[in-house]
Amino acid sequence: MADAMIQTGIFEDLQRKIDEDSAVKDALRDIVQTLEKQDRTTQSILSRSHSTPSSDLHTVVSAAQANIDKEIQTIQQLSEVASQHPYYKFNYSWTRTVQDACYSILLCGWLGGFAKGETGQLLTIEDVGSTMKVPVNLKDRDAFHLTIEEYLLALISLLDELARLARNSVTLGDYRRPLQIAQFIKDVHAGFQILNLKNDTLRKRSDGIKYRVKEVEDVVYDLSLRGLLPKD
Amino acid sequence: MGVKRSRTAMEGQPSSDAAAAQRQSPLMPMFEHFRAELDEHHDRRERIIKASRDITAASKKIIFTLQRIRHLNQDLPAHAVKGNQPYHTTIATQLASVSADLQGLNAYRYSRQISGGCQEWMEAVSFQHYIETATLLSYADARTQIKALDREGPGVELSAEDYVLGIYDMTGELMRFAITGMAMGGSLPTIPASSPQSQPQAQPTDSDTSLMDIDNDQPAPSPTTQRSLLTDMRALRSALESLDARGGPFAKEADKKADVMRTSVEKVEKALYGLIVRGAERPKGWNPDAEFAGGRAVEVEA
C-alpha cells in the first residue's frame, strides 16, 4: 500500500498533456489570425459591390478572387496543422474564421466569381470545398474539412448581404437584380424550411432568413408599385 | 407572407405567383441531403446525451452507497459491492450503447455531450478507489477502466480534462466523508502508515496549503503527523492548484471547480478545529456539517 495519496507522475503527466494541447492551440491561433486578416481584406473588396454598377462588377470580383487565393493558401496551412490532431478537439479555434472565408467565397461566387461568369449562382458545399482545396463533410476519417454547419451559416450570411445588395442595386439604377435576389433568397429559405434544426446557432440564425425574404420582397413591391420592374 | 402584394408585384413576370409557389426550389436536393446529415448528427447527439445522463445518475447512486462506508484503506464491504452492482451494470450498458458513436472523428465531436457522464463516473470510481486503497486513481488507470467497461465494443475514451474535473468533484465527496466520519466517530478518518516512520505526502509542488495550518502536516513526533483524510485532501488540493490549465474552456470549468474544492478543504479544517476546541463539550450526535449550513458560523482565525 502506498504511503502517499498521490503517486508521483500523475499530475506531471497531466500537465504535459495540457501543455502539448496548448502549444497546438498557439500554432493554430497564428494561422487563424492570418486568415482573419486576409478575409477582412477580401470583405472590404467585396463590399465595393454595393457601389459598383453591374457592368463593372467583374473588377470587384477578380480583385476579391485574387485575395481569396491568398486565403486558400492559409487554409491549406491550417488544414495541414489541424489534420495532425483530432478535428473536433480544436475546431472551435477556426470554425468562425473558416465560416467567414466560406461566406467570402459564396458571395464572390454569387457575384460571378470562380468562373461562374453570371451572377445569382450558388456555389455548393462541394464547390466551396474544391475552391478551398479541402474535403467537405468528412465522416470516414479524422482530418480537416468544411462542415455542413459552417457552409449553412455562411449561406445565411450571404442572404443578409444580398438583402442589403437588393436595396443598393436600386440606388445604382439596377431594377433587375432585386428580382433575382428575391428569387434566390426564397429558394434558400425553402431549403432551410425542410431542415429539422435543434435549438442551436444554426436554428437561431436561420430564423432570421424570413426577415430577409420580407426585406427583399418589400424592395420588389416598391419597384412594382412605381412600374420600375423590367418588362421582359 | 405578402401573398396579395406579390401577386401584383409579379405581374408582367413570365411565371405567375401560383406557378412560382409550385415551382420547387432548385436547391431542394441539396437541402434534402443536408437534412439527412443533420438528422443523423442530432440523433447521435441525443443518444449520447441520454446515455450521459443515465451514467451520471448511476454514478451518483454509487457515491451515495460509498458515503455510508466508514473505513478507509479496506476492501468495500459486501453489501456495498452488491448494492452498487446494478449501477455499475447500467453504466457499462450505457457506455456500450454509445461507444460506437464516439469513435474516430466523433470522439471529440460529442465530447461535450458525454463529458458530464464521464466526469461523474470519474468522481465515483476515484472515490471508491480512495476508500479502498487510500490513493488517487491515476489517469492512465481510469482510462483503462472506462475502456474495459465496453467489453465487446471499441470502448469510450476518457479525456484528461474529464479526469481532472472528476477529481475536483471527488474532493467534495472526501469532504462529506470526513465530516460524516467526525460526526459519527468523533474523529477525523486516518490512514494507518504501512511502514513505521514513513513520511506521508509526496507533495509535488509548493502551494498555499499553509492556509489555516493546524500543524497536521508538519513532520513532528506527535499523532498529528498521522496521515489523515485532511492531509490527503490538502495534498490533492496542492496538486490540483499547481496544475496550469492554460486558458480555454477547460480552464474556465477548472477554475469554478477549484473554488468549490478549496471550500471543501476548509470545511473539513473548520470542522476539525471545532472538534479539537470543543470536542469534549460536543453533545452526542451533533453534526459539524450543520454549522456551515446556516452560514459561516465558525471563525477559525481566532
Side-chain angles (χ1 to χ4, degrees):
Chain A
M1 195 61 53
D3 290 326
M5 181 199 189
I6 305 168
Q7 283 169 261
T8 40
I10 293 185
F11 283 89
E12 289 79 352
D13 285 349
L14 289 168
Q15 187 66 59
R16 204 171 312 123
K17 254 184 159 351
I18 295 171
D19 290 348
E20 278 165 15
D21 287 355
S22 171
V24 177
K25 256 189 287 184
D26 290 346
L28 288 169
R29 194 182 39 227
D30 285 347
I31 304 174
V32 170
Q33 277 174 353
T34 307
L35 183 58
E36 250 170 43
K37 215 182 284 172
Q38 289 167 331
D39 192 60
R40 258 198 298 277
T41 309
T42 308
Q43 280 304 314
S44 89
I45 296 169
L46 284 169
S47 72
R48 297 205 316 250
S49 60
H50 291 277
S51 52
T52 308
S54 318
S55 53
D56 298 331
L57 203 54
H58 59 96
T59 59
V60 174
V61 169
S62 56
Q65 217 175 303
N67 211 66
I68 288 172
D69 283 342
K70 290 184 202 157
E71 289 190 45
I72 291 164
Q73 281 174 21
T74 313
I75 290 171
Q76 285 298 294
Q77 243 178 302
L78 177 64
S79 164
E80 221 167 277
V81 177
S83 293
Q84 294 164 13
H85 308 280
Y87 177 82
Y88 281 103
K89 187 170 183 182
F90 296 106
N91 91 314
Y92 68 90
S93 70
W94 64 68
T95 183
R96 194 53 226 256
T97 313
V98 167
Q99 231 177 75
D100 290 344
C102 177
Y103 157 60
S104 292
I105 293 171
L106 285 180
L107 178 56
C108 190
W110 196 92
L111 294 171
F114 303 108
K116 284 287 177 189
E118 49 179 331
T119 57
Q121 302 297 304
L122 175 65
L123 296 174
T124 63
I125 187 169
E126 288 81 13
D127 292 339
V128 178
S130 63
T131 304
M132 285 183 170
K133 297 183 191 139
V134 297
V136 299
N137 189 30
L138 268 194
K139 289 163 80 171
D140 52 343
R141 64 199 162 94
D142 192 353
F144 186 83
H145 62 280
L146 182 68
T147 66
I148 288 177
E149 285 90 343
E150 285 161 352
Y151 175 78
L152 289 175
L153 287 166
L155 182 51
I156 295 169
S157 300
L158 175 69
L159 299 189
D160 295 345
E161 189 68 3
L162 290 181
R164 185 182 157 218
L165 186 64
R167 284 187 299 271
N168 291 333
S169 305
V170 174
T171 313
L172 285 170
D174 184 346
Y175 301 147
R176 192 178 299 273
R177 178 160 299 151
L179 282 172
Q180 184 191 24
I181 293 176
Q183 190 57 59
F184 181 80
I185 294 189
K186 269 188 225 162
D187 286 346
V188 175
H189 183 228
F192 268 95
Q193 283 194 310
I194 68 159
L195 300 181
N196 304 314
L197 296 175
K198 298 285 169 225
N199 214 359
D200 55 7
T201 326
L202 194 53
R203 164 69 177 278
K204 274 171 213 139
R205 290 213 47 213
S206 71
D207 280 347
I209 298 177
K210 55 181 179 290
Y211 301 110
R212 305 290 94 80
V213 174
K214 185 177 181 312
E215 266 179 59
V216 181
E217 267 188 357
D218 285 349
V219 173
V220 173
Y221 176 62
D222 285 340
L223 291 176
S224 77
L225 262 192
R226 292 160 183 81
L228 295 172
L229 287 179
K231 298 264 188 283
D232 51 61
Chain B
M1 194 172 302
V3 179
K4 233 190 204 161
R5 82 164 83 103
S6 50
R7 191 161 291 153
T8 43
M10 292 297 172
E11 234 167 1
Q13 282 297 105
S15 56
S16 78
D17 193 52
Q22 287 301 313
R23 168 186 170 276
Q24 215 204 18
S25 163
L27 305 175
M28 275 317 175
M30 177 176 103
F31 274 93
E32 273 159 16
H33 167 64
F34 289 159
R35 176 172 61 189
E37 292 289 322
L38 290 176
D39 284 353
E40 188 189 320
H41 161 63
H42 291 310
D43 290 350
R44 192 184 296 123
R45 196 169 164 276
E46 252 149 52
R47 271 200 300 277
I48 294 169
I49 291 174
K50 201 177 159 298
S52 174
R53 280 204 197 116
D54 289 351
I55 292 167
T56 304
S59 301
K60 277 192 202 295
K61 291 195 179 118
I62 291 175
I63 293 170
F64 282 136
T65 309
L66 295 174
Q67 283 293 5
R68 290 192 282 270
I69 292 167
R70 295 274 57 88
H71 301 286
L72 279 180
N73 215 352
Q74 284 176 21
D75 286 343
L76 290 191
H79 67 86
V81 175
K82 194 161 169 274
N84 275 342
Q85 195 46 54
Y87 306 128
H88 285 295
T89 310
T90 304
I91 292 173
T93 315
Q94 289 299 330
L95 280 174
S97 76
V98 293
S99 71
D101 288 328
L102 288 165
Q103 297 306 310
L105 185 66
N106 289 336
Y108 279 95
R109 185 174 195 184
Y110 302 101
S111 61
R112 225 173 311 158
Q113 279 72 45
I114 194 69
S115 166
C118 283
Q119 284 177 36
E120 202 71 28
W121 173 83
M122 193 57 233
E123 181 180 341
V125 292
S126 62
F127 184 42
Q128 174 166 346
H129 185 85
Y130 181 77
I131 290 175
E132 287 173 318
T133 67
T135 58
L136 179 69
L137 183 65
S138 74
Y139 172 51
D141 290 347
R143 245 178 107 187
T144 316
Q145 261 197 47
I146 202 167
K147 273 233 157 113
L149 284 178
D150 181 24
R151 264 187 220 104
E152 275 139 47
V156 171
E157 184 63 54
L158 177 72
S159 73
E161 285 82 358
D162 286 344
Y163 170 80
V164 173
L165 295 171
I167 297 297
Y168 268 117
D169 290 339
M170 196 263 287
T171 59
E173 300 309 325
L174 293 184
M175 180 272 286
R176 244 154 264 148
F177 192 91
I179 302 270
T180 317
M182 282 189 266
M184 313 276 287
S187 69
L188 186 68
T190 56
I191 299 103
S194 58
S195 58
Q197 297 310 318
S198 68
Q199 277 304 328
Q201 272 14 318
Q203 292 199 351
T205 50
D206 57 315
S207 167
D208 56 343
T209 44
S210 59
L211 195 80
M212 298 194 299
D213 242 345
I214 325 179
D215 78 354
N216 300 45
D217 57 355
Q218 300 302 317
S222 80
T224 47
T225 52
Q226 169 74 48
R227 197 181 143 203
S228 71
L229 199 48
L230 180 57
T231 61
D232 280 358
M233 284 181 76
R234 285 181 180 149
L236 199 51
R237 169 181 173 158
S238 158
L240 285 167
E241 281 179 334
S242 72
L243 211 59
D244 178 1
R246 312 278 306 254
F250 168 58
K252 238 189 198 167
E253 254 185 283
D255 275 354
K256 251 189 278 165
K257 299 208 175 203
D259 279 342
V260 179
M261 172 197 67
R262 285 187 200 103
T263 315
S264 291
V265 176
E266 283 166 34
K267 273 186 185 173
V268 177
E269 286 171 340
K270 284 175 182 170
L272 182 62
Y273 164 84
L275 199 62
I276 286 171
V277 171
R278 293 182 297 256
E281 317 154 12
R282 184 176 66 93
K284 254 203 150 63
W286 177 84
N287 185 346
D289 209 12
E291 198 95 5
F292 306 106
R296 311 185 154 255
V298 183
E299 260 317 316
V300 179
E301 280 138 344

